[in-house]
Amino acid sequence: LGYAEAHYRLSIFYHDVEKDGGKTKHHLEEAAIGGHPSARYTLGCYEGRNRRHDRAVKHLITAAAQGDDDSINELMDEFRRGFVSKDDLADALRAHQAAVDATKSVQREAAEELER
């Protein structure tokens, strides 16, 4: 994930300094290909803002399946607007829950308790 994380961070940097967004989108795409859920979510939002809802939904479903919570909220909004079917939303919710469940363990829960 280091490679994907580096591209994601570069996308944030270029977003702050670039006017046309070409490098920002390039690094977001590279991070998303590398499996970075936040990059995938951000691409989904970008496509939605540009009224390419079919592409936006694909990105958001992928991010949700990787456990990204913000993608679920955005998918719900897209569902309310009529761009996501009920079946696709249900599949995304199941995939999201499976991803979240896969990250749970007794050791992680114990570590979280220590941090509190």
Side-chain angles (χ1 to χ4, degrees):
L1 187 64
Y3 174 77
E5 181 66 26
H7 277 292
Y8 183 66
R9 289 177 186 244
L10 281 169
S11 76
I12 294 168
F13 168 77
Y14 281 116
H15 176 75
D16 292 340
V17 299
E18 189 180 41
K19 292 187 191 314
D20 70 356
K23 288 184 181 180
T24 300
K25 188 172 182 206
H26 167 76
H27 287 292
L28 276 174
E29 289 170 344
E30 290 295 319
I33 289 167
H36 199 286
S38 295
R40 188 66 73 168
Y41 164 76
T42 304
L43 277 173
C45 292
Y46 173 83
E47 296 293 357
R49 280 192 304 275
N50 288 302
R51 298 177 190 241
R52 292 188 290 261
H53 295 282
D54 55 330
R55 293 178 64 139
V57 168
K58 288 177 185 177
H59 285 301
L60 294 169
I61 287 173
T62 302
Q66 293 173 324
D68 186 77
D69 295 331
D70 293 329
S71 295
I72 292 295
N73 295 331
E74 196 66 30
L75 279 169
M76 296 292 271
D77 290 342
E78 292 290 316
F79 172 73
R80 287 186 205 101
R81 291 185 210 121
F83 295 113
V84 179
S85 71
K86 194 175 200 177
D87 290 338
D88 286 343
L89 180 61
D91 289 344
L93 287 168
R94 281 191 290 276
H96 176 267
Q97 190 59 51
V100 170
D101 290 345
T103 63
K104 291 183 180 177
S105 71
V106 174
Q107 292 87 0
R108 282 183 193 227
E109 290 173 7
E112 287 175 3
E113 285 297 319
L114 289 174
E115 290 178 4
R116 291 181 193 160

